[in-house]
Amino acid sequence: MKKVVLVGTISNAAGNLRSDLMKVIKALSALDLIQIFLVESDSNDMTPSILVDLHLEIENFNFVSLGHLGLEIPDRIHRIRHCRNVYVEEVRKMIESADIDYVFVADLDGMNSKISSEAVLSSFERDGWGAVLANQRGGYYDVLALRHPTWCPRDVLV
């Protein structure tokens, strides 16, 4: 069975966090989910307390709350990047102590209504890929991350 970790960043997602997380966990049920690690920052809702509850309820669930980074890192994209770097470092530590086959990165703010175990397992029908992204129907690309010499040669927010 493939061993996986689930990571993500989270902020102000109290309304969807629990249900989205449970949908993703269910979608990963055919795999060996050995760890969940979320990085929270800048929430003004109940997200931090929901994370504490989830940590107490789910055996392999951990998180870190970085508090309000807005003053220190005012740019939203830079804050997200900072938080992503925190889970990347955590994954590196996990790899040192556990045999991990895959890392799943999830948005947990209401984006997972159609995720399923069949969709996840379809990712393994082909070999030779380095990443599987945007598990959804139709075209998609992250315009903030996209860099292409013609389509998007620079940061779209500048």
Side-chain angles (χ1 to χ4, degrees):
M1 185 177 286
K2 301 194 184 314
K3 294 181 181 178
V4 301
V5 297
L6 171 64
V7 297
T9 61
I10 194 80
S11 181
N12 286 331
N16 297 308
L17 174 56
R18 180 179 295 277
S19 63
D20 255 23
L21 180 62
M22 294 309 160
K23 287 174 190 170
V24 172
I25 289 172
K26 185 176 179 183
L28 297 176
S29 64
L31 307 171
D32 183 9
L33 180 57
I34 61 172
Q35 185 69 251
I36 301 166
F37 184 76
L38 301 181
V39 179
E40 182 278 333
S41 74
D42 298 282
S43 293
N44 298 321
D45 63 3
M46 297 300 292
T47 298
S49 65
I50 292 170
L51 291 168
V52 170
D53 292 344
L54 290 168
H55 173 71
L56 295 172
E57 295 168 22
I58 301 172
E59 181 180 340
N60 59 349
F61 181 91
N62 287 297
F63 73 96
V64 63
S65 181
L66 302 179
H68 292 281
L69 297 175
L71 295 174
E72 180 185 336
I73 308 171
D75 182 89
R76 178 180 172 270
I77 302 306
H78 291 157
R79 281 195 310 275
I80 293 170
R81 182 182 305 131
H82 176 81
C83 293
R84 285 180 179 165
N85 287 339
V86 171
Y87 74 61
V88 166
E89 288 305 314
E90 187 67 22
V91 168
R92 287 179 177 151
K93 291 177 194 172
M94 289 179 207
I95 289 171
E96 290 175 6
S97 63
D99 184 26
I100 298 171
D101 297 308
Y102 298 98
V103 177
F104 282 76
V105 180
D107 281 336
L108 297 169
D109 56 357
M111 303 302 294
N112 296 296
S113 63
K114 297 189 181 202
I115 194 167
S116 67
S117 58
E118 294 81 17
V120 170
L121 290 175
S122 74
S123 301
F124 300 102
E125 291 174 1
R126 296 183 186 166
D127 291 328
W129 49 262
V132 176
L133 307 167
N135 191 356
Q136 69 181 44
R137 296 185 192 272
Y140 171 86
Y141 58 87
D142 182 346
V143 73
L144 295 175
L146 179 66
R147 293 296 179 269
H148 183 278
T150 305
W151 297 339
C152 188
R154 61 184 180 80
D155 187 334
V156 296
L157 299 178
V158 176

PDB file of all heavy atoms in Angstrom, residues 119-148:
ATOM      1  N   ALA A 119     -11.093   9.038  -8.035  1.00  0.00           N
ATOM      2  CA  ALA A 119     -10.304  10.093  -8.683  1.00  0.00           C
ATOM      3  C   ALA A 119      -8.852  10.031  -8.234  1.00  0.00           C
ATOM      4  O   ALA A 119      -7.933  10.160  -9.050  1.00  0.00           O
ATOM      5  CB  ALA A 119     -10.898  11.464  -8.365  1.00  0.00           C
ATOM      6  N   VAL A 120      -8.636   9.829  -6.938  1.00  0.00           N
ATOM      7  CA  VAL A 120      -7.261   9.726  -6.432  1.00  0.00           C
ATOM      8  C   VAL A 120      -6.576   8.516  -7.035  1.00  0.00           C
ATOM      9  O   VAL A 120      -5.449   8.604  -7.537  1.00  0.00           O
ATOM     10  CB  VAL A 120      -7.247   9.675  -4.890  1.00  0.00           C
ATOM     11  CG1 VAL A 120      -5.866   9.317  -4.371  1.00  0.00           C
ATOM     12  CG2 VAL A 120      -7.705  11.006  -4.309  1.00  0.00           C
ATOM     13  N   LEU A 121      -7.237   7.369  -7.015  1.00  0.00           N
ATOM     14  CA  LEU A 121      -6.621   6.153  -7.548  1.00  0.00           C
ATOM     15  C   LEU A 121      -6.349   6.247  -9.044  1.00  0.00           C
ATOM     16  O   LEU A 121      -5.406   5.630  -9.546  1.00  0.00           O
ATOM     17  CB  LEU A 121      -7.487   4.938  -7.234  1.00  0.00           C
ATOM     18  CG  LEU A 121      -7.512   4.543  -5.759  1.00  0.00           C
ATOM     19  CD1 LEU A 121      -8.487   3.396  -5.526  1.00  0.00           C
ATOM     20  CD2 LEU A 121      -6.120   4.197  -5.250  1.00  0.00           C
ATOM     21  N   SER A 122      -7.127   7.040  -9.768  1.00  0.00           N
ATOM     22  CA  SER A 122      -6.873   7.202 -11.207  1.00  0.00           C
ATOM     23  C   SER A 122      -5.521   7.853 -11.463  1.00  0.00           C
ATOM     24  O   SER A 122      -4.946   7.692 -12.542  1.00  0.00           O
ATOM     25  CB  SER A 122      -7.991   8.015 -11.856  1.00  0.00           C
ATOM     26  OG  SER A 122      -7.886   9.398 -11.525  1.00  0.00           O
ATOM     27  N   SER A 123      -4.991   8.545 -10.465  1.00  0.00           N
ATOM     28  CA  SER A 123      -3.668   9.164 -10.607  1.00  0.00           C
ATOM     29  C   SER A 123      -2.573   8.117 -10.749  1.00  0.00           C
ATOM     30  O   SER A 123      -1.498   8.412 -11.261  1.00  0.00           O
ATOM     31  CB  SER A 123      -3.353  10.037  -9.389  1.00  0.00           C
ATOM     32  OG  SER A 123      -4.311  11.044  -9.248  1.00  0.00           O
ATOM     33  N   PHE A 124      -2.848   6.891 -10.308  1.00  0.00           N
ATOM     34  CA  PHE A 124      -1.843   5.840 -10.340  1.00  0.00           C
ATOM     35  C   PHE A 124      -1.991   4.917 -11.540  1.00  0.00           C
ATOM     36  O   PHE A 124      -1.291   3.913 -11.636  1.00  0.00           O
ATOM     37  CB  PHE A 124      -1.904   5.042  -9.028  1.00  0.00           C
ATOM     38  CG  PHE A 124      -1.636   5.893  -7.825  1.00  0.00           C
ATOM     39  CD1 PHE A 124      -2.682   6.329  -7.028  1.00  0.00           C
ATOM     40  CD2 PHE A 124      -0.348   6.292  -7.513  1.00  0.00           C
ATOM     41  CE1 PHE A 124      -2.445   7.132  -5.926  1.00  0.00           C
ATOM     42  CE2 PHE A 124      -0.097   7.095  -6.413  1.00  0.00           C
ATOM     43  CZ  PHE A 124      -1.141   7.513  -5.622  1.00  0.00           C
ATOM     44  N   GLU A 125      -2.871   5.267 -12.473  1.00  0.00           N
ATOM     45  CA  GLU A 125      -3.058   4.446 -13.665  1.00  0.00           C
ATOM     46  C   GLU A 125      -1.894   4.584 -14.633  1.00  0.00           C
ATOM     47  O   GLU A 125      -1.682   3.723 -15.468  1.00  0.00           O
ATOM     48  CB  GLU A 125      -4.368   4.809 -14.361  1.00  0.00           C
ATOM     49  CG  GLU A 125      -5.587   4.402 -13.553  1.00  0.00           C
ATOM     50  CD  GLU A 125      -6.896   4.879 -14.140  1.00  0.00           C
ATOM     51  OE1 GLU A 125      -6.885   5.527 -15.225  1.00  0.00           O
ATOM     52  OE2 GLU A 125      -7.938   4.630 -13.508  1.00  0.00           O
ATOM     53  N   ARG A 126      -1.152   5.662 -14.536  1.00  0.00           N
ATOM     54  CA  ARG A 126       0.017   5.889 -15.383  1.00  0.00           C
ATOM     55  C   ARG A 126       1.252   6.002 -14.508  1.00  0.00           C
ATOM     56  O   ARG A 126       1.185   6.462 -13.382  1.00  0.00           O
ATOM     57  CB  ARG A 126      -0.133   7.179 -16.182  1.00  0.00           C
ATOM     58  CG  ARG A 126      -1.256   7.151 -17.157  1.00  0.00           C
ATOM     59  CD  ARG A 126      -1.295   8.431 -17.948  1.00  0.00           C
ATOM     60  NE  ARG A 126      -2.464   8.442 -18.794  1.00  0.00           N
ATOM     61  CZ  ARG A 126      -2.915   9.509 -19.395  1.00  0.00           C
ATOM     62  NH1 ARG A 126      -2.310  10.664 -19.243  1.00  0.00           N
ATOM     63  NH2 ARG A 126      -3.974   9.447 -20.156  1.00  0.00           N
ATOM     64  N   ASP A 127       2.381   5.613 -15.075  1.00  0.00           N
ATOM     65  CA  ASP A 127       3.653   5.734 -14.375  1.00  0.00           C
ATOM     66  C   ASP A 127       4.461   6.874 -14.980  1.00  0.00           C
ATOM     67  O   ASP A 127       4.145   7.382 -16.050  1.00  0.00           O
ATOM     68  CB  ASP A 127       4.464   4.435 -14.518  1.00  0.00           C
ATOM     69  CG  ASP A 127       3.852   3.282 -13.755  1.00  0.00           C
ATOM     70  OD1 ASP A 127       3.243   3.537 -12.704  1.00  0.00           O
ATOM     71  OD2 ASP A 127       3.990   2.127 -14.215  1.00  0.00           O
ATOM     72  N   GLY A 128       5.513   7.266 -14.278  1.00  0.00           N
ATOM     73  CA  GLY A 128       6.468   8.201 -14.842  1.00  0.00           C
ATOM     74  C   GLY A 128       6.169   9.667 -14.609  1.00  0.00           C
ATOM     75  O   GLY A 128       6.846  10.524 -15.163  1.00  0.00           O
ATOM     76  N   TRP A 129       5.197  10.006 -13.793  1.00  0.00           N
ATOM     77  CA  TRP A 129       4.890  11.408 -13.535  1.00  0.00           C
ATOM     78  C   TRP A 129       5.590  11.864 -12.273  1.00  0.00           C
ATOM     79  O   TRP A 129       5.879  11.078 -11.386  1.00  0.00           O
ATOM     80  CB  TRP A 129       3.384  11.645 -13.445  1.00  0.00           C
ATOM     81  CG  TRP A 129       2.627  10.717 -12.546  1.00  0.00           C
ATOM     82  CD1 TRP A 129       1.932   9.605 -12.928  1.00  0.00           C
ATOM     83  CD2 TRP A 129       2.464  10.810 -11.128  1.00  0.00           C
ATOM     84  NE1 TRP A 129       1.358   9.007 -11.838  1.00  0.00           N
ATOM     85  CE2 TRP A 129       1.672   9.727 -10.706  1.00  0.00           C
ATOM     86  CE3 TRP A 129       2.909  11.705 -10.163  1.00  0.00           C
ATOM     87  CZ2 TRP A 129       1.316   9.506  -9.388  1.00  0.00           C
ATOM     88  CZ3 TRP A 129       2.558  11.490  -8.839  1.00  0.00           C
ATOM     89  CH2 TRP A 129       1.774  10.405  -8.469  1.00  0.00           C
ATOM     90  N   GLY A 130       5.867  13.146 -12.193  1.00  0.00           N
ATOM     91  CA  GLY A 130       6.480  13.729 -11.009  1.00  0.00           C
ATOM     92  C   GLY A 130       5.478  14.400 -10.105  1.00  0.00           C
ATOM     93  O   GLY A 130       5.714  14.568  -8.916  1.00  0.00           O
ATOM     94  N   ALA A 131       4.331  14.777 -10.657  1.00  0.00           N
ATOM     95  CA  ALA A 131       3.297  15.445  -9.870  1.00  0.00           C
ATOM     96  C   ALA A 131       1.958  15.295 -10.588  1.00  0.00           C
ATOM     97  O   ALA A 131       1.907  15.205 -11.808  1.00  0.00           O
ATOM     98  CB  ALA A 131       3.609  16.930  -9.707  1.00  0.00           C
ATOM     99  N   VAL A 132       0.899  15.260  -9.802  1.00  0.00           N
ATOM    100  CA  VAL A 132      -0.463  15.297 -10.323  1.00  0.00           C
ATOM    101  C   VAL A 132      -1.109  16.513  -9.680  1.00  0.00           C
ATOM    102  O   VAL A 132      -1.067  16.680  -8.465  1.00  0.00           O
ATOM    103  CB  VAL A 132      -1.255  14.018  -9.967  1.00  0.00           C
ATOM    104  CG1 VAL A 132      -2.689  14.126 -10.437  1.00  0.00           C
ATOM    105  CG2 VAL A 132      -0.575  12.794 -10.563  1.00  0.00           C
ATOM    106  N   LEU A 133      -1.689  17.370 -10.497  1.00  0.00           N
ATOM    107  CA  LEU A 133      -2.206  18.636  -9.996  1.00  0.00           C
ATOM    108  C   LEU A 133      -3.662  18.831 -10.383  1.00  0.00           C
ATOM    109  O   LEU A 133      -4.135  18.267 -11.364  1.00  0.00           O
ATOM    110  CB  LEU A 133      -1.370  19.786 -10.562  1.00  0.00           C
ATOM    111  CG  LEU A 133       0.137  19.661 -10.346  1.00  0.00           C
ATOM    112  CD1 LEU A 133       0.873  20.657 -11.204  1.00  0.00           C
ATOM    113  CD2 LEU A 133       0.483  19.814  -8.896  1.00  0.00           C
ATOM    114  N   ALA A 134      -4.349  19.674  -9.633  1.00  0.00           N
ATOM    115  CA  ALA A 134      -5.716  20.108  -9.949  1.00  0.00           C
ATOM    116  C   ALA A 134      -6.614  18.940 -10.311  1.00  0.00           C
ATOM    117  O   ALA A 134      -7.023  18.761 -11.446  1.00  0.00           O
ATOM    118  CB  ALA A 134      -5.712  21.157 -11.052  1.00  0.00           C
ATOM    119  N   ASN A 135      -6.926  18.135  -9.321  1.00  0.00           N
ATOM    120  CA  ASN A 135      -7.767  16.969  -9.508  1.00  0.00           C
ATOM    121  C   ASN A 135      -9.212  17.427  -9.682  1.00  0.00           C
ATOM    122  O   ASN A 135     -10.003  17.428  -8.753  1.00  0.00           O
ATOM    123  CB  ASN A 135      -7.611  16.070  -8.283  1.00  0.00           C
ATOM    124  CG  ASN A 135      -8.222  14.720  -8.488  1.00  0.00           C
ATOM    125  OD1 ASN A 135      -8.827  14.455  -9.514  1.00  0.00           O
ATOM    126  ND2 ASN A 135      -8.074  13.861  -7.507  1.00  0.00           N
ATOM    127  N   GLN A 136      -9.553  17.830 -10.899  1.00  0.00           N
ATOM    128  CA  GLN A 136     -10.895  18.325 -11.197  1.00  0.00           C
ATOM    129  C   GLN A 136     -11.178  18.161 -12.672  1.00  0.00           C
ATOM    130  O   GLN A 136     -10.276  17.927 -13.466  1.00  0.00           O
ATOM    131  CB  GLN A 136     -11.017  19.796 -10.817  1.00  0.00           C
ATOM    132  CG  GLN A 136     -10.201  20.711 -11.714  1.00  0.00           C
ATOM    133  CD  GLN A 136     -10.320  22.157 -11.311  1.00  0.00           C
ATOM    134  OE1 GLN A 136     -10.262  22.471 -10.149  1.00  0.00           O
ATOM    135  NE2 GLN A 136     -10.485  23.023 -12.276  1.00  0.00           N
ATOM    136  N   ARG A 137     -12.428  18.302 -13.049  1.00  0.00           N
ATOM    137  CA  ARG A 137     -12.797  18.258 -14.466  1.00  0.00           C
ATOM    138  C   ARG A 137     -12.520  19.621 -15.089  1.00  0.00           C
ATOM    139  O   ARG A 137     -12.653  20.646 -14.437  1.00  0.00           O
ATOM    140  CB  ARG A 137     -14.268  17.913 -14.620  1.00  0.00           C
ATOM    141  CG  ARG A 137     -14.607  16.534 -14.121  1.00  0.00           C
ATOM    142  CD  ARG A 137     -16.085  16.237 -14.423  1.00  0.00           C
ATOM    143  NE  ARG A 137     -16.521  15.066 -13.714  1.00  0.00           N
ATOM    144  CZ  ARG A 137     -16.414  13.823 -14.189  1.00  0.00           C
ATOM    145  NH1 ARG A 137     -15.876  13.642 -15.366  1.00  0.00           N
ATOM    146  NH2 ARG A 137     -16.837  12.807 -13.488  1.00  0.00           N
ATOM    147  N   GLY A 138     -12.142  19.617 -16.348  1.00  0.00           N
ATOM    148  CA  GLY A 138     -11.911  20.863 -17.058  1.00  0.00           C
ATOM    149  C   GLY A 138     -10.507  21.396 -16.846  1.00  0.00           C
ATOM    150  O   GLY A 138      -9.743  20.897 -16.033  1.00  0.00           O
ATOM    151  N   GLY A 139     -10.161  22.415 -17.610  1.00  0.00           N
ATOM    152  CA  GLY A 139      -8.839  23.004 -17.524  1.00  0.00           C
ATOM    153  C   GLY A 139      -8.636  23.819 -16.267  1.00  0.00           C
ATOM    154  O   GLY A 139      -9.587  24.338 -15.691  1.00  0.00           O
ATOM    155  N   TYR A 140      -7.396  23.907 -15.852  1.00  0.00           N
ATOM    156  CA  TYR A 140      -7.057  24.674 -14.648  1.00  0.00           C
ATOM    157  C   TYR A 140      -5.571  24.965 -14.654  1.00  0.00           C
ATOM    158  O   TYR A 140      -4.768  24.131 -15.056  1.00  0.00           O
ATOM    159  CB  TYR A 140      -7.404  23.876 -13.386  1.00  0.00           C
ATOM    160  CG  TYR A 140      -6.869  24.523 -12.122  1.00  0.00           C
ATOM    161  CD1 TYR A 140      -7.599  25.501 -11.477  1.00  0.00           C
ATOM    162  CD2 TYR A 140      -5.644  24.164 -11.603  1.00  0.00           C
ATOM    163  CE1 TYR A 140      -7.111  26.112 -10.332  1.00  0.00           C
ATOM    164  CE2 TYR A 140      -5.150  24.768 -10.453  1.00  0.00           C
ATOM    165  CZ  TYR A 140      -5.880  25.739  -9.827  1.00  0.00           C
ATOM    166  OH  TYR A 140      -5.404  26.344  -8.708  1.00  0.00           O
ATOM    167  N   TYR A 141      -5.209  26.144 -14.232  1.00  0.00           N
ATOM    168  CA  TYR A 141      -3.819  26.411 -13.875  1.00  0.00           C
ATOM    169  C   TYR A 141      -3.811  27.508 -12.833  1.00  0.00           C
ATOM    170  O   TYR A 141      -4.719  28.321 -12.752  1.00  0.00           O
ATOM    171  CB  TYR A 141      -2.945  26.768 -15.081  1.00  0.00           C
ATOM    172  CG  TYR A 141      -3.398  27.972 -15.869  1.00  0.00           C
ATOM    173  CD1 TYR A 141      -3.000  29.253 -15.512  1.00  0.00           C
ATOM    174  CD2 TYR A 141      -4.223  27.824 -16.978  1.00  0.00           C
ATOM    175  CE1 TYR A 141      -3.415  30.365 -16.224  1.00  0.00           C
ATOM    176  CE2 TYR A 141      -4.635  28.929 -17.706  1.00  0.00           C
ATOM    177  CZ  TYR A 141      -4.226  30.188 -17.315  1.00  0.00           C
ATOM    178  OH  TYR A 141      -4.627  31.271 -18.023  1.00  0.00           O
ATOM    179  N   ASP A 142      -2.808  27.476 -12.010  1.00  0.00           N
ATOM    180  CA  ASP A 142      -2.650  28.446 -10.937  1.00  0.00           C
ATOM    181  C   ASP A 142      -1.932  29.663 -11.512  1.00  0.00           C
ATOM    182  O   ASP A 142      -0.732  29.646 -11.724  1.00  0.00           O
ATOM    183  CB  ASP A 142      -1.840  27.818  -9.804  1.00  0.00           C
ATOM    184  CG  ASP A 142      -1.664  28.744  -8.619  1.00  0.00           C
ATOM    185  OD1 ASP A 142      -1.926  29.953  -8.741  1.00  0.00           O
ATOM    186  OD2 ASP A 142      -1.252  28.247  -7.561  1.00  0.00           O
ATOM    187  N   VAL A 143      -2.682  30.710 -11.793  1.00  0.00           N
ATOM    188  CA  VAL A 143      -2.116  31.886 -12.446  1.00  0.00           C
ATOM    189  C   VAL A 143      -1.043  32.558 -11.580  1.00  0.00           C
ATOM    190  O   VAL A 143      -0.141  33.197 -12.099  1.00  0.00           O
ATOM    191  CB  VAL A 143      -3.224  32.883 -12.866  1.00  0.00           C
ATOM    192  CG1 VAL A 143      -3.810  33.599 -11.660  1.00  0.00           C
ATOM    193  CG2 VAL A 143      -2.712  33.886 -13.878  1.00  0.00           C
ATOM    194  N   LEU A 144      -1.104  32.374 -10.270  1.00  0.00           N
ATOM    195  CA  LEU A 144      -0.076  32.949  -9.404  1.00  0.00           C
ATOM    196  C   LEU A 144       1.234  32.172  -9.486  1.00  0.00           C
ATOM    197  O   LEU A 144       2.305  32.734  -9.285  1.00  0.00           O
ATOM    198  CB  LEU A 144      -0.558  33.006  -7.956  1.00  0.00           C
ATOM    199  CG  LEU A 144      -1.738  33.929  -7.719  1.00  0.00           C
ATOM    200  CD1 LEU A 144      -2.213  33.822  -6.288  1.00  0.00           C
ATOM    201  CD2 LEU A 144      -1.367  35.361  -8.047  1.00  0.00           C
ATOM    202  N   ALA A 145       1.148  30.876  -9.779  1.00  0.00           N
ATOM    203  CA  ALA A 145       2.349  30.054  -9.850  1.00  0.00           C
ATOM    204  C   ALA A 145       2.856  29.898 -11.285  1.00  0.00           C
ATOM    205  O   ALA A 145       4.030  29.598 -11.497  1.00  0.00           O
ATOM    206  CB  ALA A 145       2.077  28.679  -9.256  1.00  0.00           C
ATOM    207  N   LEU A 146       1.985  30.085 -12.257  1.00  0.00           N
ATOM    208  CA  LEU A 146       2.344  29.863 -13.652  1.00  0.00           C
ATOM    209  C   LEU A 146       3.434  30.826 -14.110  1.00  0.00           C
ATOM    210  O   LEU A 146       3.334  32.035 -13.914  1.00  0.00           O
ATOM    211  CB  LEU A 146       1.113  30.039 -14.545  1.00  0.00           C
ATOM    212  CG  LEU A 146       1.346  29.866 -16.045  1.00  0.00           C
ATOM    213  CD1 LEU A 146       1.725  28.433 -16.367  1.00  0.00           C
ATOM    214  CD2 LEU A 146       0.114  30.289 -16.819  1.00  0.00           C
ATOM    215  N   ARG A 147       4.454  30.285 -14.693  1.00  0.00           N
ATOM    216  CA  ARG A 147       5.481  31.101 -15.339  1.00  0.00           C
ATOM    217  C   ARG A 147       5.751  30.470 -16.698  1.00  0.00           C
ATOM    218  O   ARG A 147       6.160  29.314 -16.786  1.00  0.00           O
ATOM    219  CB  ARG A 147       6.784  31.128 -14.525  1.00  0.00           C
ATOM    220  CG  ARG A 147       6.647  31.831 -13.196  1.00  0.00           C
ATOM    221  CD  ARG A 147       6.323  33.339 -13.410  1.00  0.00           C
ATOM    222  NE  ARG A 147       6.160  34.017 -12.152  1.00  0.00           N
ATOM    223  CZ  ARG A 147       5.007  34.156 -11.508  1.00  0.00           C
ATOM    224  NH1 ARG A 147       3.904  33.648 -11.994  1.00  0.00           N
ATOM    225  NH2 ARG A 147       4.941  34.813 -10.389  1.00  0.00           N
ATOM    226  N   HIS A 148       5.482  31.211 -17.726  1.00  0.00           N
ATOM    227  CA  HIS A 148       5.688  30.746 -19.086  1.00  0.00           C
ATOM    228  C   HIS A 148       6.179  31.946 -19.884  1.00  0.00           C
ATOM    229  O   HIS A 148       5.654  33.051 -19.727  1.00  0.00           O
ATOM    230  CB  HIS A 148       4.376  30.200 -19.655  1.00  0.00           C
ATOM    231  CG  HIS A 148       4.514  29.638 -21.026  1.00  0.00           C
ATOM    232  ND1 HIS A 148       4.507  30.430 -22.152  1.00  0.00           N
ATOM    233  CD2 HIS A 148       4.681  28.372 -21.442  1.00  0.00           C
ATOM    234  CE1 HIS A 148       4.651  29.664 -23.219  1.00  0.00           C
ATOM    235  NE2 HIS A 148       4.752  28.411 -22.808  1.00  0.00           N
TER     236      HIS A 148
END
